[in-house]
Every structure is written in structure tokens, then in C-alpha cells.
Amino acid sequence: MAKVEELVEVVLGVDTHLDVHVGVVVDPAGRVLGTRSIETCTDGYQALLEWAHSFGFLLRAGIEGTGTYGAGLARHIQEAGIEVLEVNRPDRARRRRRG
């Protein structure tokens, strides 16, 4: 009898930029399973989704800047039936002051 692998829920996190988004997939323990950079276009968004699904059962995605650089990606992911959680951008000036 063939062994059936159980699909594990994974989460996609995305750091958004003007021309390129960087995605990371983590398992339930927070271990990084993979990272990938994509172009900020519909084909790139779809490639990111397909890639993330290859790691397991994708129900949620945390996206930085859903009102700015990540808006198109957020819409694309929501239309695919995946919950989108907005991740706040860090205060870069504050971070630089701390070294």
C-alpha cells in the first residue's frame, strides 16, 4: 500500500517593493521552507502562489504594504480564496537610530 503524505498548512509571507516582491514560505513551527523573488505583475503573482502551494496547504498570506506596493498581490491572493493579513512596515528611521 502506498504511503499518502499529509498536507501541512504553510504560510506565505511577502516583503513588497516597487519592482520585485520577495516571498517566504514557513511551516507551522516557523521554519523557512523556501524563498522566492517575483516580478510585480500578474504572471509573477500567479507564479508565487503556485510555488507557495507546492510546499503544502496554503490558507493565509501575510503581505507587507497591502495599500501600496502590495495592493495588486493582495487582490490576486484574495481572489484565489486565500486570507490576506496585512503586515505593517517597520519604521526604518527608528531602526537605523538603534543601529
Side-chain angles (χ1 to χ4, degrees):
M1 179 183 253
K3 181 180 176 184
V4 177
E5 289 187 39
E6 182 178 328
L7 281 181
V8 173
E9 181 181 348
V10 296
V11 176
L12 171 64
V14 185
D15 182 16
T16 61
H17 301 278
L18 179 61
D19 298 317
V20 175
H21 295 335
V22 179
V24 61
V25 174
V26 297
D27 70 7
R31 291 180 294 243
V32 174
L33 302 176
T35 60
R36 182 169 181 182
S37 296
I38 56 125
E39 291 184 33
T40 55
C41 62
T42 304
D43 288 342
Y45 303 157
Q46 187 59 38
L48 184 66
L49 265 181
E50 291 171 7
W51 170 78
H53 277 294
S54 73
F55 290 97
F57 191 56
L58 181 65
L59 291 176
R60 295 174 288 168
I63 301 175
E64 180 182 59
T66 59
T68 55
Y69 293 144
L73 176 62
R75 279 191 302 275
H76 188 86
I77 289 177
Q78 284 176 324
E79 289 170 0
I82 297 163
E83 179 183 12
V84 172
L85 306 167
E86 183 170 7
V87 177
N88 292 326
R89 290 187 180 277
D91 182 340
R92 292 182 182 152
R94 182 176 174 193
R95 191 176 68 211
R96 278 190 293 267
R97 285 192 301 269
R98 290 185 176 177

